[in-house]
Amino acid sequence: MSSVFDELMEEIKTFLREFHSSRELHEARMRFLGRTGKLTALYKRMKEIPPEERPAFGQRINALKEEIEARFASIEQDLRARELSERLASERIDVTMPGRRRAQGTLHPVTRVRNMLIDVFAGMGFEVFEGPEIENDYYNFTALNTPADHPARDMQDTFYLADGLLLRTQTSAGQIRLMEKKKPPIKMLSPGRVFRSDDDATHSPMFHQMEGLVVDKNITLCDLQGMLDEFARVIFGKGSKTRLRPSYFPFTEPSVEVDVSCHACGGTGCALCKGTGWIEVLGAGMVNRRVLENCGIDPDEYSGFAFGMGIERIAMLKYGINNIKLLTENDVRFLAQFKD
Ligand code: PHE
């Protein structure tokens, strides 16, 4: 019988080569120690042994079993360690690698300037009021002292819609809507889209305006210029000044064009300001008495000023943009240049 043990031990030795996986190892273990394994078979042969030899036989099987188990255990330990280190190596994460960044968008220059303007005037106590983009003739023209036969209607080429409606040509329409509802003191800021049949490098059929309206007792042109000086400093730089030139709008009297000292040359004259040192940035004036009357506000008790500027124009001047189309093409290479 003893040769059986020796054979078995030999077989195990040759069998215990390198294992590549826990599964292979498990199969090998079953081959010897499993229910139908070779060692188990030896136990079953116990009854063939004469009773007096059985204790010795049993001891030998047990000893062999322990040895086999010990060998498997040590192989298993090695295999586990190797499998773990392989897994760690394959799942390794390089925490020092730079992360994948998501490109961050930027605010559109028109939005930026609009926000800046709102900041400036909100700081002076103005409230934002937005009127409708589709208007009727009354709010866009008539109530603003521009009746149907008025030559000033030609100043703005209007897109007319059905039923007497039109796309507003100016945010001034909002002045009327506000003054119908709210009585002085009024300090209103009205940003929004406006539409005119006009199209070249500096004009687009849709653009944005920022309207301002102040109505109270004893409001003068000086108040207007004081506020616009502050606006010029914030948008175009600390040393900026404004200058008023006489002009004409039907809804203001007197009317002015407002120039800002050229931020490119500081007023000495350059290509941007065409050598004049000044750049025209907006229209303004004292609210015409007839406009106040149209809204039920007594012009003998109250006076006011209004101004309106093109946001695209301000953005183009501020950022040195030479074609208004760049503001609507939305080319990311252009837009990405406007970072905080
Ligand atoms: N609404 C005028 C325009 O679009 C600008 C303006 C507004 C002028 C307010 C005076 C007062 O040209």
Side-chain angles (χ1 to χ4, degrees):
M1 259 331 264
S2 75
S3 60
V4 179
F5 294 107
D6 298 339
E7 266 170 35
L8 201 53
M9 204 56 225
E10 266 322 295
E11 190 183 341
I12 283 181
K13 270 188 210 150
T14 50
F15 203 81
L16 291 191
R17 47 181 170 80
E18 218 185 323
F19 291 102
H20 298 290
S21 68
S22 307
R23 192 187 158 79
E24 259 182 45
L25 182 69
H26 176 74
E27 278 164 11
R29 181 181 261 146
M30 286 302 113
R31 192 183 160 106
F32 297 100
L33 301 172
R35 219 157 27 91
T36 54
K38 298 203 168 187
L39 192 85
T40 319
L42 278 185
Y43 278 109
K44 287 180 185 156
R45 291 176 64 181
M46 188 78 98
K47 47 187 175 314
E48 297 168 24
I49 308 287
E52 62 279 11
E53 286 176 27
R54 281 183 195 165
F57 183 79
Q59 272 175 13
R60 290 203 65 180
I61 304 183
N62 284 343
L64 184 61
K65 188 180 175 206
E66 265 172 38
E67 188 171 346
I68 296 176
E69 272 176 349
R71 286 184 184 229
F72 273 115
S74 102
I75 290 175
E76 182 171 21
Q77 212 177 15
D78 292 350
L79 191 64
R80 284 256 166 88
R82 205 177 69 212
E83 281 180 346
L84 179 67
S85 62
E86 276 169 11
R87 204 177 124 198
L88 289 178
S90 74
E91 293 178 4
R92 187 187 156 98
I93 298 172
D94 181 355
V95 291
T96 64
M97 232 163 90
R100 255 176 242 159
R101 278 170 197 262
R102 247 190 241 180
Q104 200 178 7
T106 54
L107 287 182
H108 191 280
V110 168
T111 309
R112 293 170 71 93
V113 170
R114 174 183 175 277
N115 290 352
M116 281 179 190
L117 292 170
I118 291 177
D119 273 1
V120 178
F121 290 103
M124 298 186 226
F126 283 64
E127 283 174 300
V128 173
F129 169 84
E130 290 185 45
E133 290 173 5
I134 294 178
E135 269 297 4
N136 61 34
D137 199 89
Y138 178 77
Y139 288 101
N140 196 78
F141 290 122
T142 311
L144 287 162
N145 196 31
T146 321
D149 55 354
H150 199 290
R153 287 217 176 186
D154 296 341
M155 288 165 79
Q156 301 169 359
D157 274 321
T158 310
F159 290 112
Y160 287 96
L161 308 171
D163 305 325
L165 296 174
L166 49 82
L167 295 179
R168 68 175 173 194
T169 60
Q170 49 190 353
T171 44
S172 303
Q175 288 186 28
I176 307 298
R177 290 196 175 266
L178 186 84
M179 285 191 285
E180 279 181 351
K181 277 194 263 176
K182 189 173 161 26
K183 298 303 156 204
I186 289 171
K187 263 184 170 179
M188 170 203 87
L189 198 59
S190 190
R193 289 185 189 149
V194 298
F195 306 84
R196 292 180 197 178
S197 180
D198 209 352
D199 203 3
D200 60 33
T202 55
H203 296 86
S204 130
M206 185 283 293
F207 63 103
H208 298 76
Q209 283 189 331
M210 182 68 80
E211 186 89 9
L213 173 72
V214 171
V215 184
D216 203 349
K217 289 181 176 152
N218 306 316
I219 296 294
T220 70
L221 217 49
C222 270
D223 299 312
L224 168 71
Q225 193 165 19
M227 290 191 186
L228 290 180
D229 274 339
E230 177 60 13
F231 141 79
R233 282 192 288 267
V234 171
I235 300 292
F236 295 110
K238 282 212 170 349
S240 301
K241 289 180 295 203
T242 60
R243 163 178 100 167
L244 309 185
R245 274 182 297 111
S247 183
Y248 174 77
F249 298 101
F251 37 89
T252 47
E253 182 58 36
S255 301
V256 292
E257 294 285 354
V258 180
D259 297 342
V260 173
S261 53
C262 179
H263 56 289
C265 63
T268 52
C270 67
L272 184 67
C273 58
K274 300 193 182 82
T276 64
W278 295 93
I279 297 176
E280 184 185 318
V281 291
L282 59 96
M286 298 305 293
V287 181
N288 193 307
R289 293 175 59 90
R290 295 172 89 160
V291 173
L292 293 176
E293 274 166 8
N294 288 343
C295 301
I297 294 174
D298 182 356
D300 292 323
E301 194 181 351
Y302 294 104
S303 59
F305 68 72
F307 62 81
M309 62 182 94
I311 300 181
E312 278 82 352
R313 178 164 169 76
I314 305 286
M316 288 171 77
L317 289 169
K318 181 172 171 60
Y319 298 120
I321 300 165
N322 58 13
N323 193 318
I324 197 168
K325 300 296 179 294
L326 288 166
L327 294 171
T328 41
E329 278 167 355
N330 284 337
D331 183 331
V332 179
R333 292 167 301 180
F334 169 77
L335 296 176
Q337 296 175 53
F338 301 90
K339 293 214 174 80
D340 285 317

